[in-house]
Each structure stands twice: as C-alpha cells, then as structure tokens.
Amino acid sequence: MSKHIKKSIKNISISGIRQFNSLASQYDDVIKLTIGELDFNTPSNIKEKTIDAIKDNKTRYTSNIGLLKLRSQIISTYDQYFSNEVIITSGSTEALMIVLRSIIDKGDEVIIPTPAYPGYKPLIDLEGGVVRTVDSMNIKRKTLEKAYTEHTKLMIITNPNNPTGYVYSEEEMEVIKQFVLDKDILLISDEIYNEINFAPYNSSFTKFKDLKQNLIVISGFSKSHAMTGYRIGYLISDESLVKHFLKVHQYSVTCATSISQYAAVEATKTKYKIMVSTLKERRDIVIKKLRQLGLSYYPSNGAYYIFVDVSKYNNGYDFAVDLLKKQKVAVIPGSAFLGDNDDFIRISYATDTKTLIKALNRLEQYIKSLKKSN
Ligand code: PLP
C-alpha cells in the first residue's frame, strides 16, 4: 500500500530521459539521439577478461572497498592518492548515492551549476537536502557567493557536463576551487566523462593538490569503455572521508560485482582512442549542421551531448514531440534536466555516424518545414 511509502520517495518522479525514450519507442523507424549510452561495444580484451574471471571462479565477494589491483591501477593515474582512498562501486550512480547519504543532513544546501544531470537532485531530496542552482555559464566568485548560505555544505560539478558537453575553463576551475576552500565546503566532481574530453588541458579537479581534503571525485567505466551494463564505477577522496563512505557502501551492496571488477582491471590498461576520436568527429558534424540551420547551442568540448536552443520555433518539449512525430527523430527535451531549460533539447551523438547524419538531415527537413509555415 503506497500510504506506507515515505513522503520524500513519493515526491520523486521517474527520470524525464527515460520517459521520453519510452515515448519514442512507441513509433517505428525512429532514430534515437536520446540515451547516454554509446553505440561502441566493450573492447574485446575486456570481454575476454570477463569470461576468464567466470572460468577462474572469481565469482565470490571481494573486499568491501574493492580489489586492491583495481584500486592501485586507478590511483596510478591520480597523483597524491593511496589505494585506501578509492572505493569501487556499482556504477558511479552508487558512488553518488553513498556520498550524498553520508554528507547531507536535513536542511543542508547543495550548490549545482545548471543545466545539470538529473540524477543528483532526487538523491539530495531523499536526504532532506536543498538544491541551489547557479548558471554554469556564469561561474564567477560573485555568483557563487550569492548562492552560498550558512547551510551550504556541498557543491556538485559535472566536468565534462551532461547535458551540455561543456568543460569548465581553467579559470573557472580555479574560481570553484578557491570558493570551496575559502568556505570549507565539499566538492563532488563528477568526472564520468573525463576520458571523452576534447579540451587541451587537465580538467580533473584532482590537479589541485590543496583541494584533497574537500574533494570527492566520482568516475567509472560506463562511458570511458562502453561498459554501462557492467555497473562499475568508483569514488576517490581523502581517507578521512572514505572511511565513512565505506560504511554506507558496505551496508548497501557489500561490494561491487566481482566479475566486473576483474574486467575493469583490464579496462584500466586499455585506452579507447578510436572511440574518442570518432566522437570528436561526430561532435564537429553536429555543430556544422546546427550552424547551417542557424541554431545556437552551449559550447561542447566533451561527453557526447549538445544542448540546443530551439526557442525560435517552440519550447523544447513541444519541439521534441513534433520532431518525433513528423521526422521520427528522438531527442530529449531540456526540461528533463535540472535547471531552467525549457528552451532547449539535448542531442546525444552516441549513435553511429551514418545514422547520425541521417537524423541530422531529418532535423533539417523539419526546420525547413517550420520556416515555410512561419
Ligand atoms: N553522472 C553523469 C553525469 C551521467 O551522465 C551518468 C550516466 O549517464 C552517471 C553519472 C551514471 O553513470 P554510471 O552509473 O553508469 O556509472
């Protein structure tokens, strides 16, 4: 009986991304530029190690914190962290969940630049926390000060961003770092797309050595190695925080899937270069078309998303529904993401290049038809 369900859960709705994707599935011959899942397959050496793990009976619990081999491999790419400062989790989603459960008390405030990934707020709501948004295109000390109150405990950054693909500039990263340090709050840096990053500088917040005590990095293998179904992620933070996160992890899932952990060891030795260079080419194809069509978009330098302003024609939701019905192309309305994004749609270019071009041509036909009827 739903009367027994707690209030904070009842108030949470199903992700708008999933909802729109289900709507798109009701139509035939639809090209989906919706879900954040790559068309690339998991590299075969990783798949082979997965099979080996099963054959070798690596099918038992691992330590709660995760395989030492995997943790050591992960921290070898991050300066100044030790193997007891990494927890292997069931996707980065679990990492987010255990960190937020460990940090947020009722009434605590969290600053999130928007547009933002819709996975954060429901987890904050569940703990009775309060989200305060700032414009991700206006990261200045003054803006952050305005969002800050005595209840602020945390800031969450996604770099590169979902849904915009935006990567913070070095100057913006410096502003965020200094703000977090001066206020002595925590920073979650969700770097799940860090491997798919076209910016020419290091955009991981781990580069700031003085930030270590205040920083929690969230990452994983879903995006970097096309391993979404393996459900394997991790968090990295100072030992003083990790020891508490580990308690929530232990009592939630015991440990991440052993087989996936062995596969992830192989992933740490595998650079998926062809995937990254292909995604960059696709990003350029999408941008070229958007320019031709006279549509503006957020600067996109990573992940595989472009956030497009369609307000010349309609609000994002109606635009997306009409595009789906008339041209069989599915995109996600901006309203599915955290922030005031009603004017936008998100295009995911995680689909093969030929199909992507076909979808962009359909978008062009659609825009032409709108221009004619105006
Ligand atoms: N963080 C961001 C910004 C994402 O876009 C996603 C998935 O799309 C996740 C976290 C969760 O990824 P996973 O749980 O597969 O590691």
Side-chain angles (χ1 to χ4, degrees):
M1 266 186 296
S2 82
K3 71 174 186 189
H4 296 299
I5 299 294
K6 67 192 231 191
K7 236 204 225 140
S8 56
I9 297 271
K10 279 191 189 162
N11 292 340
I12 289 175
S13 48
I14 296 297
S15 145
I17 303 178
R18 296 270 166 190
Q19 275 181 31
F20 204 84
N21 203 44
S22 307
L23 178 71
S25 303
Q26 293 169 15
Y27 294 83
D28 293 330
D29 186 31
V30 169
I31 304 179
K32 285 189 182 176
L33 307 180
T34 45
I35 289 281
E37 196 163 42
L38 287 158
D39 57 308
F40 287 84
N41 288 323
T42 310
S44 43
N45 57 321
I46 299 176
K47 290 194 281 198
E48 274 156 28
K49 289 290 176 189
T50 318
I51 295 165
D52 288 351
I54 298 171
K55 286 190 181 154
D56 295 344
N57 290 312
K58 305 266 177 59
T59 50
R60 301 195 161 84
Y61 295 129
T62 68
S63 61
N64 298 131
I65 194 167
L67 290 177
L68 176 61
K69 181 122 205 251
L70 178 55
R71 288 180 288 121
S72 305
Q73 283 287 113
I74 289 169
I75 50 129
S76 68
T77 57
Y78 294 95
D79 282 351
Q80 60 154 352
Y81 285 94
F82 298 97
S83 58
N84 63 342
E85 295 180 311
V86 186
I87 303 178
I88 311 300
T89 55
S90 298
S92 64
T93 304
E94 194 230 340
L96 280 166
M97 193 270 286
I98 63 178
V99 171
L100 292 169
R101 289 206 84 171
S102 307
I103 293 174
I104 307 289
D105 276 320
K106 197 163 185 282
D108 284 346
E109 293 182 2
V110 183
I111 299 176
I112 307 182
T114 59
Y117 176 60
Y120 309 133
K121 189 173 179 299
L123 295 176
I124 295 164
D125 289 346
L126 271 179
E127 305 305 323
V130 178
V131 170
R132 287 183 164 261
T133 58
V134 293
D135 177 3
S136 63
M137 292 293 104
N138 189 19
I139 294 294
K140 302 203 169 64
R141 182 63 186 235
K142 221 166 66 187
T143 334
L144 296 178
E145 288 286 352
K146 259 195 191 161
Y148 178 83
T149 76
E150 57 177 331
H151 302 293
T152 307
K153 205 172 212 182
L154 172 70
M155 180 165 179
I156 305 181
I157 292 290
T158 321
N159 209 31
N161 181 275
N162 174 10
T164 62
Y166 185 66
V167 180
Y168 287 106
S169 68
E170 288 176 291
E171 294 74 26
E172 287 165 329
M173 289 180 73
E174 189 67 40
V175 168
I176 293 167
K177 179 203 86 164
Q178 209 47 56
F179 172 72
V180 166
L181 283 180
D182 291 348
K183 302 295 182 193
D184 194 19
I185 58 173
L186 292 174
L187 174 68
I188 292 183
S189 181
D190 181 344
E191 300 183 1
I192 187 83
Y193 295 101
N194 198 34
E195 302 279 319
I196 307 167
N197 189 340
F198 319 133
Y201 49 86
N202 179 0
S203 57
S204 169
F205 276 86
T206 53
K207 73 178 176 186
F208 298 118
K209 302 221 179 329
D210 47 348
L211 194 58
K212 188 174 180 229
Q213 305 263 335
N214 299 65
L215 178 67
I216 302 136
V217 170
I218 304 282
S219 195
F221 298 90
S222 284
K223 317 288 176 177
S224 58
H225 295 81
M227 289 171 70
T228 42
Y230 278 79
R231 307 309 304 128
I232 193 87
Y234 55 90
L235 67 85
I236 305 177
S237 189
D238 191 75
E239 203 269 335
S240 59
L241 295 167
V242 166
K243 67 180 183 200
H244 296 291
F245 300 151
L246 190 56
K247 293 182 253 180
V248 187
H249 171 68
Q250 174 178 349
Y251 292 117
S252 305
V253 300
T254 306
C255 65
T257 311
S258 61
I259 301 154
S260 296
Q261 291 194 56
Y262 283 98
V265 172
E266 184 67 12
T268 59
K269 301 174 194 163
T270 312
K271 279 262 172 231
Y272 211 163
K273 281 194 187 139
I274 181 72
M275 180 180 79
V276 178
S277 59
T278 308
L279 286 171
K280 189 163 186 258
E281 279 166 26
R282 287 185 197 162
R283 192 265 323 247
D284 294 342
I285 291 171
V286 177
I287 283 180
K288 193 169 166 205
K289 182 63 87 183
L290 293 175
R291 284 196 181 142
Q292 273 171 14
L293 296 177
L295 291 169
S296 54
Y297 49 87
Y298 277 75
S300 176
N301 224 358
Y304 30 76
Y305 307 114
I306 309 223
F307 213 46
V308 188
D309 185 346
V310 293
S311 59
K312 282 193 199 179
Y313 299 107
N314 213 332
N315 67 66
Y317 188 85
D318 290 338
F319 183 98
V321 172
D322 205 37
L323 176 65
L324 174 64
K325 285 186 183 161
K326 298 204 172 124
Q327 286 292 342
K328 308 276 179 65
V329 174
V331 294
I332 300 288
S335 53
F337 300 91
L338 183 67
D340 188 9
N341 311 312
D342 286 353
D343 290 344
F344 289 82
I345 56 164
R346 185 191 75 175
I347 293 179
S348 161
Y349 50 88
T351 194
D352 72 275
T353 309
K354 209 169 137 203
T355 310
L356 179 68
I357 291 171
K358 200 168 154 190
L360 292 172
N361 289 337
R362 289 186 188 183
L363 174 68
E364 182 170 13
Q365 291 310 313
Y366 179 64
I367 297 281
K368 279 184 181 161
S369 73
L370 292 178
K371 279 184 177 157
K372 261 189 209 154
S373 59
N374 267 347

